[in-house]
Amino acid sequence: MTEFVLTPAQRKRSITVVVVTVSVVALTLGLTWPLLSLILEAQGVSAMLIGLSSASQTVAVLVVLPLVPWMMSRFGTVPLVACAIATIIVALVLLPAFPNVYAWFPIRFLLGAAVEVLFIGCDVWVNQVAEEKSRGRVIGVYGFAMSAGFAGGPLIINMTGIEGWAPFLVGIVIIAVATIPLLWSRGVVPRIEGHPTGRLVYFLRIAPTLMIAGLMFGFVDAAALSFLPIYGLGYGYDQTTVVTMVTVIVVGMMLTQLPIGWLADHVGGRVMIVGATVLVAVPSALLPFIMDMPFAMWPALLVIGGALGGFYTIGMVMMGRRFKGADLVAVNAAFVVFWALGSIVGPAVTGVAIDATTVDAMPVVVVVACLLYLPLAIARMIKAGSE
């Protein structure tokens, strides 16, 4: 493999470009998940169908991900990222043009494919150019910027409402800006060379904690972003407040990225994964008892968001430490496959549970998922020690 060497100035420019790009495009998920759920809720669509609609955005990941290592090797990271951004814009035009839950299934499939190709491209990009001694801090900055983009999505909804084209047009204009920094990326993005050692089953066997952490992140994150607005509506909060709940979750992710990145340079990944799981489960279990107590509810949502963000950041650092080149692309794709599976199952299971019981099924589903994962994470931490 040809060695790719960057000067400090080139490395800084490369990191800056990828951070700006991913933060702007993160608006896509931050905007579409709560916005589309609220639109469908207003149309009288059932919670189960809303969950399936949300899951369709992620099913595409399972289809496109096997092709990502080849596409990155064949076309290069930057052209692939630019193509993904263009596809996202097309999907955001189609969504308001065909405001029907069934029409949205293929459109959200297209959107999901483009978003995940983009995020894998950016994830591998930043992990390639980050130096080992500061990898956690660089990933922390990257995660902070991405979370800030997610937080901007619900803010757009609060400014524009959910009716008509307005929220989609604002998102399209902002996302189009993400193509501009790519003009400064020439010569500072490493190419992917070689072939990966293995695929999904291989990475599940050698890094089970990491892979199942991706599953957990997708399950809880998608369930929360899709159903937290509906959960808040069930407790009598208005539309502005329930959208703000999503914003608080994402702000929690944003605020913890830098400290988690710093800790990741000093503390083992498995230890941090266990801590993150506990910090998702405990406040989630308390939600049904504190939803009528805003002084407790808002901090609980902040903690849940912060812990959720930890799954992603810690996973990124663990991948960058252990894998390089084509293997880094392949393990990142495998991580996202598990994230996608979680994102498919999470909203679907939560929607069915809410339809069968009450909106309080949402935090119950989250807590059960955490309790199922925690023994594996603890066992692996004890067996292998911190990384």
Side-chain angles (χ1 to χ4, degrees), residues 90-329:
V90 169
L92 290 182
V93 171
L94 293 175
L95 285 168
F98 301 95
N100 177 277
V101 63
Y102 297 106
W104 280 3
F105 275 91
I107 298 171
R108 295 187 78 168
F109 183 92
L110 176 69
L111 178 64
V115 166
E116 291 315 314
V117 167
L118 185 142
F119 280 132
I120 290 178
C122 289
D123 287 353
V124 172
W125 179 350
V126 75
N127 239 329
Q128 281 183 303
V129 298
E131 294 181 289
E132 196 58 50
K133 62 182 180 181
S134 58
R135 184 178 306 280
R137 281 163 286 176
V138 170
I139 300 300
V141 171
Y142 176 83
F144 175 87
M146 182 185 294
S147 300
F150 281 126
L155 293 179
I156 292 174
I157 300 173
N158 279 341
M159 289 187 298
T160 64
I162 65 172
E163 299 293 332
W165 282 78
F168 296 97
L169 290 177
V170 172
I172 288 167
V173 170
I174 296 174
I175 292 168
V177 173
T179 60
I180 298 174
L182 297 178
L183 300 175
W184 284 272
S185 64
R186 184 178 178 83
V188 296
V189 184
R191 286 196 61 86
I192 303 299
E193 298 180 353
H195 300 282
T197 303
R199 295 185 181 275
L200 189 67
V201 175
Y202 170 77
F203 292 114
L204 177 61
R205 180 172 58 82
I206 68 169
T209 305
L210 176 60
M211 295 297 106
I212 307 303
L215 182 75
M216 274 289 300
F217 177 50
F219 187 102
V220 177
D221 191 45
L225 286 178
S226 295
F227 285 101
L228 188 57
I230 295 171
Y231 185 62
L233 291 173
Y235 273 87
Y237 289 102
D238 60 24
Q239 180 181 302
T240 299
T241 303
V242 300
V243 172
T244 303
M245 289 178 182
V246 177
T247 304
V248 170
I249 288 276
V250 180
V251 167
M253 294 182 184
M254 181 174 62
L255 293 178
T256 57
Q257 293 303 306
L258 296 177
I260 286 174
W262 181 86
L263 278 172
D265 285 330
H266 300 85
V267 180
R270 292 189 179 93
V271 174
M272 295 183 69
I273 286 289
V274 169
T277 306
V278 171
L279 289 176
V280 169
V282 173
S284 295
L286 294 176
L287 276 183
F289 306 100
I290 62 177
M291 284 299 290
D292 295 324
M293 297 184 287
F295 66 89
M297 177 191 72
W298 294 113
L301 294 176
L302 201 66
V303 171
I304 292 170
L308 270 178
F311 282 103
Y312 173 79
T313 305
I314 298 161
M316 284 276 289
V317 173
M318 291 171 72
M319 285 185 279
R321 284 175 177 169
R322 294 183 61 180
F323 304 98
K324 308 297 177 185
D327 277 343
L328 180 58
V329 180

Side-chain angles (χ1 to χ4, degrees), residues 13-36:
R13 174 156 60 97
S14 186
I15 291 171
T16 300
V17 170
V18 69
V19 164
V20 171
T21 300
V22 81
S23 66
V24 175
V25 182
L27 279 168
T28 306
L29 289 183
L31 173 65
T32 56
W33 258 335
L35 172 63
L36 300 182

